[in-house]
Amino acid sequence: GAGVSQSPSNKVTEKGKDVELRCDPISGHTALYWYRQSLGQGLEFLIYFQGNSAPDKSGLPSDRFSAERTGGSVSTLTIQRTQQEDSAVYLCASSFPPGLAGGVGGDTQYFGPGTRLTVL
Amino acid sequence: SQQGEEDPQALSIQEGENATMNCSYKTSINNLQWYRQNSGRGLVHLILIRSNEREKHSGRLRVTLDTSKKSSSLLITASRAADTASYFCATAPDSNYQLIWGAGTKLIIKP
């Protein structure tokens, strides 16, 4: 596709409900990242997928958060029993395999427009 | 914890002036990247500078990297109203694929 897409763009939910956020990465990008951004803050890493490797879940803040990536493409971030502190913008990014452009370090990430989650 | 720290936190200048933002980090890196974010939504990649580079240009953007001081600067020349945004630096540590993000500099260009 032309870019990373995310849906929904906005989600308002009640405390205790489950939500699912979707990310569709750029075709050909094997790496996919989820971040959370609270108002006026930087990005907080949540989870990383690379190809068929086991995902790096080290950034997930609690076991209420989970994510999957089916067929190496679309990813879904699920938050169970939402809390008010979960309110934030959830950003998805994709990239070519880190290090492909040279070196081990992370490469350019392409971001979707984000999902603004509000938990009442 | 966040590695990249931008300063200043906020910057307001007149259109046409130059804007300089700084980023400091703590560990050795493979590369450092600058991103722009409008209206609190998706980020757009601006420029990537590798650890063996000292300066890089892209249009009105100039990025410098001083690995001895673990710092980088982003200069936007001849600023325009459309440059109003938040600017983030992100560092790619040597040993990890993750990008470590700072809290950003909010830049306001006054017409």
Side-chain angles (χ1 to χ4, degrees):
Chain A
V4 178
S5 61
Q6 290 187 246
S7 62
S9 55
N10 286 285
K11 176 71 176 179
V12 180
T13 190
E14 293 179 348
K15 178 181 172 181
K17 300 283 189 184
D18 298 351
V19 295
E20 282 190 354
L21 313 180
R22 177 188 167 106
C23 172
D24 199 342
I26 292 172
S27 177
H29 281 184
T30 59
L32 186 146
Y33 307 77
W34 281 99
Y35 295 94
R36 179 169 69 176
Q37 186 179 30
S38 300
L39 188 63
Q41 301 297 311
L43 276 68
E44 175 188 1
F45 167 77
L46 296 177
I47 189 168
Y48 163 74
F49 295 90
Q50 168 50 38
N52 295 320
S53 302
D56 176 355
K57 305 178 182 180
S58 61
L60 295 178
S62 77
D63 59 7
R64 295 187 295 105
F65 288 72
S66 63
E68 62 178 23
R69 188 179 185 190
T70 54
S73 181
V74 172
S75 176
T76 303
L77 176 69
T78 301
I79 309 173
Q80 296 178 311
R81 305 180 302 281
T82 52
Q83 303 294 312
Q84 289 182 332
E85 60 263 29
D86 299 334
S87 296
V89 175
Y90 289 80
L91 292 162
C92 174
S94 70
S95 76
F96 290 112
L100 186 67
V104 175
D107 291 311
T108 299
Q109 296 182 13
Y110 297 83
F111 283 81
T115 294
R116 185 178 300 278
L117 174 66
T118 303
V119 182
L120 302 176
Chain B
S1 61
Q2 297 289 345
Q3 165 161 261
E5 294 185 4
E6 292 92 338
D7 107 88
Q9 291 186 334
L11 179 62
S12 181
I13 61 173
Q14 292 294 138
E15 192 168 20
E17 294 180 340
N18 296 341
T20 300
M21 289 159 273
N22 302 296
C23 171
S24 60
Y25 58 92
K26 297 174 184 169
T27 65
S28 64
I29 61 171
N30 174 278
N31 67 69
L32 184 146
Q33 305 176 33
W34 285 91
Y35 288 77
R36 183 185 71 218
Q37 184 178 40
N38 294 94
S39 304
R41 299 303 285 260
L43 285 85
V44 173
H45 177 258
L46 296 176
I47 197 164
L48 180 154
I49 186 165
R50 298 202 180 277
S51 59
N52 60 354
E53 297 176 308
R54 291 296 167 258
E55 188 170 313
K56 204 160 182 180
H57 296 255
S58 177
R60 294 183 296 111
L61 306 180
R62 173 178 168 252
V63 169
T64 62
L65 179 64
D66 187 335
T67 53
S68 66
K69 295 181 180 178
K70 292 187 167 59
S71 68
S72 172
S73 68
L74 170 67
L75 168 68
I76 304 174
T77 60
S79 62
R80 304 168 182 169
D83 295 329
T84 294
S86 290
Y87 292 81
F88 294 87
C89 74
T91 52
D94 259 340
S95 58
N96 201 321
Y97 49 78
Q98 287 190 30
L99 292 182
I100 310 299
W101 298 81
T105 292
K106 187 171 184 178
L107 176 65
I108 297 173
I109 308 299
K110 296 179 287 186

